[in-house]
Amino acid sequence: MNWLLRIIAVEIKMHGHRNLPTTLVLLFNRPIEKKNNVLGSELLQSQSSNNSFEHSTLNRDPDNGKKLLSLLEIVNLEFELTFEDLPKLKYIEPTIINQLISKCEIPGKVPLIDAKQLHLILMNDLKSIDSSSIVKTSLLQEIQELLEYAVRMNDKRLRVSCMVKYIDAWHQLTAVICNMANLPFMEFQQHFKFIIDLLILLQSKVILYPKMSDLSTLITNSHLLLLIHLNNTIYQHLELCDVNPEMYLRSFFTGQSSVFSSMFQNILKCIQLSGSQKLRTSLYSSLIALINLMATYSRTLTNGNFKENSILFTATNKQILNSKSIEFIKSAHFDQYLSVQILDIICVDLTSGHDICNILSYTICELLIDIHPTFISYISDKGYLKNIISSLLESDSELKDLISTKNKTLKPIYVYESKMSLLNKIATYKTGADALLNHQAIACLSLMNAIDAHPNLEASFKRSIKKSMPDEGDRYMMICSPAMCLCQTVLSTQGNTNMTSILQVVFYLVSHRDTVKIALTNPAPLCEQWYLKELYQLTSLFVYITNDDTNSEINSSGDKDIAGLFYQYSMLLRRTLKRFCLNSSVMLKKCSEESNPNYDETSVTLYLRITLNLLNYVSNLMDGGLASGQKFKRPILDISVSTDSVIENESHGDFKTGNILSMNTIITIMVDTVEHYFVQVNTETKAENGKSPIQLFGESSNETEIENKDIGDQCQHILCKQIVEVCLYILWVHTNYYFTQSPVQLFHSPKGLNRSRSSNNDDDGVTSDELKVLRQELVKVFNKAFLEKLYATNEDKPDDSFIHYMVHKIKKLLQFVDSKRLSN
């Protein structure tokens, strides 16, 4: 029978690919006739169970539908196997029985017992025994019982083998049918009920055979397949409902909600009874798929917009499940079935056993935290969290070797990423962030040598074509990126007033000083995408920790090395901002040439994010950070507005120059960002106008690609607007300072001398000529044509926006500047 099912699966796959409905109907109708329902019992020597399906409600055509359902119903067999204990014999001990059975087993897929060999061994032993005839008679009876036991074991092992082969074939057939666009002769409601009935049936089988790991694993895999298929079916139905709301079946979905409670109960009970990690791996996958299915199903009850109310959020959001999904999961009595014993089983699998089981258990823990944040306290109090953090250092050397070594398995990196993903999830909650700080999670990351194994930038940037295996830079970021993400998550959760979290991140940046310097001193900011991701995350950390309170803590510690190192970091960050002072055409050209062509848009987005981070860093320097209530404490930019000074200062290798950033740097970034914004707008307009309304035969419009590109363009528009706003704020603050507060010198400073305004509070002042040049340059920049483009970047609020407000203040300042300061 198993070969018949495999042949049917192949035929259905072939004809389904050719899209021949008539042939498919014949394939579904011919294999099984409904005259008797004992085909499976005859093959497997077992009786068929009572049919629990309402066929008439599941099919438009009763005959065809019944036969299709019967094809999958064969699995519903009463296969009661109670493995007998060893016979209790008077003269033969149980240990000897086990040794004899193991010795007489025939090697193969089905380890049958060689009864003849067992009989020969026992009879030879009996002949060698010098005992009375009564004892020998008793021994002969016990030998007969033992041989009968061996025959029964062979019979049951053969039946288990037959069932395993049958379930495997049935699984393959089910996989082929589920890969079809839809089941023949079934509407959505019939399709839904059909799959639900099969799911309940399969779950009951796993509970029946907890000791038979191979059989239970196959059944669980089939269960997982059906869950994913059902989720995709509902997902497609919701997409159709967005286009045609009349197709929505709210009453049908409301009446089907109760079936999920029994599914939860059965899966969790199977996890509790499971005896092997191989089986639990399949059960964990089914549990994750069921939670995802329930999240999808919960949207059918709210009748929300499909695209707006997505189930699984993006990586930038804190929760995987939304609040409505969590409420629906709790309504299925999830808490009632989740016992402490099951939690312990899941937590033990976090750091021991098979890698895939580890990864799945980490994912389940993330979902449990979303459903019940109190789970964080459980894993922390029980010591599981401390064990996870300690395991980071245990895998450090292995991770370091994987960065530079090729043709090695990436399993340790995948386990590490899952581990860090769970820690990031924990860090999104206040109790979790406190627990991570108490267990020294960030301090543990500071000691990892793998993060210091930064790839060679020059060698990496020369590669233009990536292989299927992640290259050295990508492998490095798979280790470094989760670490920086955890630091950032803890900082955002604790707030920038929590000095404990800030100082641990400071220690992280100090411990990995070589890596930080390599990232900040790269002469070519636009290159491989992994480097842009690294620089983006690194600059985000500096934005979070940069404030006067942090500087005071560093200075009061008395460690001059750390204070000097952070001053060096500050100079490097300012030089990095100058390197990012490029026009949009150069930026797009370099992204296309030096990076993978498939990632040019992503590289531009990362470029803009890094620029925004560096500008926010400058803003924090001049304002003292978000922790301080006072605005503008010190000037950061030099008054110079000429391009020559920017290039000249960049050529000096020392870090003592105070005017490493000038007003010209911010003006150039602002102007080029506005230009880039309109380049994107014009490109989108041309692409929209050039799109053909007629779709030729063989062409397929990739909606996902188009949607992703639209999201990327929208993200770039928002980033451009934010960059312009920060630039305007920095320009206005410094312009106001130079025109109203800075002392005016009566003599002109030599060009070679640098005023170190950023390093101390002393200000040598500016000359009247410098003020005149600044005023003329700003008037030239904010001309009518540029202002029209500048205002157009804020399409939502053209007349009432931060951009309008800042431009008004700058123009007012330039118009009413004190003439005495310009004439000295």
Side-chain angles (χ1 to χ4, degrees):
M1 185 63 186
N2 64 316
W3 284 109
L4 177 61
L5 293 181
R6 294 176 197 273
I7 292 171
I8 294 173
V10 173
E11 291 294 328
I12 291 176
K13 188 173 183 179
M14 292 178 61
H15 290 289
H17 178 68
R18 295 173 186 172
N19 195 18
L20 300 175
T22 306
T23 309
L24 282 176
V25 171
L26 293 175
L27 284 172
F28 281 124
N29 290 348
R30 292 290 177 87
I32 294 181
E33 296 296 334
K34 197 62 182 176
K35 294 179 180 179
N36 63 61
N37 194 25
V38 295
L39 179 59
S41 60
E42 291 176 356
L43 290 171
L44 299 173
Q45 299 178 3
S46 177
Q47 295 181 349
S48 298
S49 62
N50 293 329
N51 193 351
S52 61
F53 295 91
E54 294 293 336
H55 295 162
S56 59
T57 63
L58 292 180
N59 305 279
R60 288 184 292 178
D61 187 338
D63 294 332
N64 292 334
K66 288 178 182 178
K67 290 173 183 177
L68 170 63
L69 193 56
S70 299
L71 181 63
L72 300 178
E73 260 183 2
I74 301 177
V75 75
N76 191 13
L77 303 172
E78 291 184 0
F79 190 64
E80 299 293 342
L81 277 183
T82 55
F83 286 96
E84 301 178 9
D85 295 330
L86 291 174
K88 297 180 180 180
L89 305 178
K90 182 178 180 181
Y91 296 100
I92 305 176
E93 297 180 357
T95 55
I96 297 177
I97 295 176
N98 289 326
Q99 292 175 3
L100 288 173
I101 290 177
S102 300
K103 184 178 180 179
C104 295
E105 283 183 351
I106 303 173
K109 293 184 178 180
V110 184
L112 298 178
I113 303 171
D114 190 344
K116 291 183 179 180
Q117 183 182 1
L118 179 61
H119 180 260
L120 182 62
I121 293 173
L122 291 173
M123 293 305 296
N124 289 335
D125 290 341
L126 180 61
K127 291 178 181 179
S128 62
I129 296 175
D130 185 14
S131 301
S132 61
S133 58
I134 299 176
V135 173
K136 286 187 176 183
T137 303
S138 301
L139 281 171
L140 281 174
Q141 293 177 354
E142 291 188 356
I143 289 173
Q144 183 66 25
E145 291 181 21
L146 186 55
L147 292 174
E148 291 175 358
Y149 170 78
V151 171
R152 290 195 301 271
M153 287 294 298
N154 282 342
D155 180 59
K156 291 186 177 181
R157 288 182 182 184
L158 282 173
R159 294 172 64 191
V160 170
S161 176
C162 291
M163 177 60 87
V164 169
K165 290 179 181 179
Y166 172 76
I167 293 294
D168 187 31
W170 183 87
H171 174 79
Q172 293 185 27
L173 177 60
T174 307
V176 171
I177 293 176
C178 288
N179 284 332
M180 298 171 60
N182 50 20
L183 294 180
F185 313 110
M186 283 195 179
E187 297 288 353
F188 172 76
Q189 302 97 311
Q190 300 167 340
H191 189 176
F192 181 88
K193 289 182 179 179
F194 173 70
I195 300 299
I196 286 291
D197 285 337
L198 282 176
L199 285 169
I200 296 174
L201 175 64
L202 288 173
Q203 282 182 341
S204 64
K205 291 301 172 186
V206 181
I207 296 176
L208 283 177
Y209 322 127
K211 295 182 180 179
M212 292 183 284
S213 177
D214 293 340
L215 180 59
S216 297
T217 302
L218 280 173
I219 296 176
T220 307
N221 289 339
S222 301
H223 184 266
L224 172 62
L225 177 70
L226 291 172
L227 283 173
I228 295 174
H229 173 68
L230 185 59
N231 183 57
N232 293 337
T233 302
I234 299 176
Y235 196 83
Q236 293 170 3
H237 178 74
L238 290 177
E239 282 185 318
L240 294 175
C241 292
D242 285 338
V243 179
N244 187 8
E246 296 179 358
M247 297 178 60
Y248 187 68
L249 305 170
R250 183 178 180 84
S251 59
F252 169 76
F253 283 118
T254 305
Q256 302 295 324
S257 302
S258 58
V259 299
F260 295 106
S261 178
S262 61
M263 289 187 186
F264 264 134
Q265 183 180 11
N266 289 335
I267 290 181
L268 293 175
K269 185 177 181 180
C270 291
I271 292 175
Q272 186 173 353
L273 296 175
S274 63
S276 67
Q277 273 199 334
K278 183 178 179 181
L279 174 57
R280 284 202 297 276
T281 299
S282 297
L283 291 170
Y284 289 160
S285 301
S286 296
L287 181 59
I288 294 169
L290 178 58
I291 292 176
N292 191 18
L293 171 63
M294 292 191 67
T296 306
Y297 193 86
S298 66
R299 284 213 318 278
T300 65
L301 303 179
T302 58
N303 195 17
N305 182 269
F306 171 74
K307 293 183 180 178
E308 291 180 0
N309 300 325
S310 59
I311 308 163
L312 298 181
F313 293 162
T314 59
T316 55
N317 292 287
K318 291 183 177 180
Q319 282 192 318
I320 298 176
L321 301 169
N322 58 29
S323 57
K324 294 179 180 178
S325 301
I326 294 173
E327 290 178 4
F328 182 66
I329 291 172
K330 289 182 177 179
S331 67
H333 307 291
F334 182 74
D335 303 340
Q336 179 181 348
Y337 306 132
L338 191 65
S339 64
V340 176
Q341 184 180 356
I342 295 174
L343 291 178
D344 286 335
I345 292 174
I346 295 173
C347 290
V348 168
D349 285 337
L350 290 173
T351 54
S352 62
H354 197 273
D355 293 337
I356 297 178
C357 189
N358 295 156
I359 293 173
L360 292 172
S361 58
Y362 283 121
T363 305
I364 288 179
C365 286
E366 288 189 56
L367 295 171
L368 291 178
I369 289 173
D370 273 343
I371 298 172
H372 285 293
T374 54
F375 182 63
I376 295 175
S377 301
Y378 177 83
I379 61 176
S380 179
D381 296 340
K382 294 288 186 177
Y384 296 117
L385 181 58
K386 186 177 181 180
N387 192 17
I388 294 171
I389 295 172
S390 301
S391 65
L392 292 174
L393 289 177
E394 295 174 2
S395 61
D396 183 31
S397 60
E398 189 176 18
L399 293 174
K400 184 180 178 180
D401 293 338
L402 284 175
I403 295 176
S404 57
T405 306
K406 297 181 180 179
N407 300 326
K408 263 197 170 184
T409 176
L410 296 180
K411 281 185 180 180
I413 292 184
Y414 296 145
V415 174
Y416 167 80
E417 285 184 317
S418 301
K419 197 177 301 182
M420 294 301 297
S421 178
L422 175 60
L423 295 180
N424 271 283
K425 170 65 63 178
I426 293 172
T428 57
Y429 297 90
K430 187 66 170 62
T431 55
D434 291 336
L436 290 175
L437 292 175
N438 293 334
H439 291 297
Q440 302 293 314
I442 299 179
C444 181
L445 295 175
S446 304
L447 301 176
M448 289 186 64
N449 295 322
I451 299 177
D452 291 325
H454 200 285
N456 188 319
L457 290 174
E458 295 181 2
S460 177
F461 299 155
K462 290 179 181 178
R463 291 190 296 267
S464 59
I465 301 177
K466 293 187 178 181
K467 300 179 181 179
S468 58
M469 185 84 168
D471 62 14
E472 190 175 352
D474 292 328
R475 291 199 299 271
Y476 173 75
M477 280 307 296
M478 292 170 75
I479 297 172
C480 183
S481 178
M484 289 193 287
C485 184
L486 179 61
C487 294
Q488 186 174 348
T489 307
V490 171
L491 287 173
S492 60
T493 303
Q494 296 289 81
N496 60 349
T497 58
N498 187 293
M499 292 309 299
T500 303
S501 59
I502 291 177
L503 290 178
Q504 285 203 22
V505 175
V506 167
F507 179 67
Y508 173 87
L509 295 172
V510 171
S511 301
H512 302 297
R513 63 185 72 189
D514 292 337
T515 298
V516 175
K517 289 179 182 179
I518 291 174
L520 295 180
T521 55
N522 172 32
L526 279 176
C527 32
E528 290 287 345
Q529 191 181 107
W530 69 263
Y531 167 72
L532 293 177
K533 291 180 180 179
E534 178 189 18
L535 191 57
Y536 165 63
Q537 289 186 292
L538 189 59
T539 52
S540 298
L541 289 182
F542 278 105
V543 171
Y544 269 101
I545 67 172
T546 301
N547 56 60
D548 287 349
D549 295 337
T550 305
N551 293 334
S552 299
E553 288 287 339
I554 293 175
N555 294 329
S556 62
S557 65
D559 194 332
K560 295 183 180 180
D561 292 337
I562 295 180
L565 180 63
F566 265 80
Y567 177 74
Q568 190 177 0
Y569 285 164
S570 178
M571 294 297 104
L572 290 175
L573 286 164
R574 300 183 203 191
R575 288 181 182 273
T576 303
L577 179 58
K578 289 178 63 178
R579 289 200 305 273
F580 274 71
C581 183
L582 302 172
N583 57 57
S584 59
S585 60
V586 175
M587 177 176 62
L588 288 171
K589 183 179 179 181
K590 286 196 173 185
C591 281
S592 300
E593 291 179 354
E594 300 185 18
S595 182
N596 190 316
N598 296 327
Y599 299 119
D600 53 348
E601 291 296 327
T602 305
S603 298
V604 175
T605 303
L606 287 169
Y607 176 94
L608 295 173
R609 290 184 184 276
I610 295 168
T611 305
L612 180 61
N613 278 345
L614 293 170
L615 290 171
N616 284 328
Y617 175 77
V618 172
S619 178
N620 285 352
L621 286 178
M622 69 184 193
D623 289 345
L626 298 176
S628 60
Q630 181 182 353
K631 294 293 183 181
F632 189 69
K633 294 187 175 182
R634 60 190 70 84
I636 303 300
L637 305 181
D638 185 74
I639 194 173
S640 174
V641 288
S642 61
T643 307
D644 294 337
S645 66
V646 177
I647 301 174
E648 177 187 354
N649 288 333
E650 190 174 1
S651 63
H652 291 77
D654 61 335
F655 294 99
K656 296 181 180 179
T657 55
N659 57 351
I660 193 171
L661 287 179
S662 66
M663 299 282 282
N664 179 75
T665 306
I666 306 301
I667 292 173
T668 306
I669 291 175
M670 179 183 66
V671 173
D672 290 343
T673 302
V674 174
E675 290 298 325
H676 173 68
Y677 179 88
F678 283 97
V679 167
Q680 288 295 104
V681 172
N682 294 334
T683 303
E684 294 170 21
T685 305
K686 290 180 181 178
E688 193 68 28
N689 295 335
K691 192 180 298 182
S692 174
I694 302 174
Q695 187 172 340
L696 301 178
F697 178 77
E699 291 182 345
S700 60
S701 58
N702 194 333
E703 296 182 1
T704 306
E705 262 185 40
I706 297 173
E707 186 175 349
N708 291 339
K709 191 177 186 308
D710 292 340
I711 294 174
D713 293 337
Q714 185 179 4
C715 181
Q716 287 191 30
H717 292 171
I718 296 173
L719 289 171
C720 288
K721 177 185 172 184
Q722 292 175 344
I723 289 173
V724 169
E725 289 178 348
V726 179
C727 286
L728 286 172
Y729 173 70
I730 295 174
L731 285 176
W732 171 75
V733 168
H734 281 83
T735 304
N736 180 68
Y737 171 77
Y738 284 127
F739 282 155
T740 62
Q741 301 177 29
S742 177
V744 179
Q745 294 180 356
L746 299 178
F747 59 89
H748 184 72
S749 300
K751 189 175 181 180
L753 297 178
N754 293 316
R755 296 181 290 272
S756 304
R757 295 190 182 97
S758 61
S759 58
N760 53 60
N761 294 327
D762 297 333
D763 192 352
D764 297 332
V766 295
T767 65
S768 57
D769 292 339
E770 289 176 327
L771 291 176
K772 289 179 182 179
V773 173
L774 174 62
R775 184 174 182 273
Q776 292 172 1
E777 187 64 27
L778 290 176
V779 171
K780 188 187 301 183
V781 170
F782 291 99
N783 55 58
K784 184 177 180 181
F786 178 72
L787 287 178
E788 288 180 356
K789 290 184 177 181
L790 191 63
Y791 294 151
T793 58
N794 196 15
E795 300 174 355
D796 298 336
K797 299 179 180 179
D799 299 325
D800 183 18
S801 66
F802 184 77
I803 292 178
H804 277 72
Y805 177 71
M806 283 289 101
V807 171
H808 174 72
K809 291 182 76 69
I810 292 175
K811 291 175 67 176
K812 184 177 180 181
L813 188 62
L814 297 177
Q815 184 178 1
F816 297 103
V817 63
D818 189 357
S819 58
K820 295 181 180 180
R821 297 177 65 85
L822 299 178
S823 61
N824 285 337

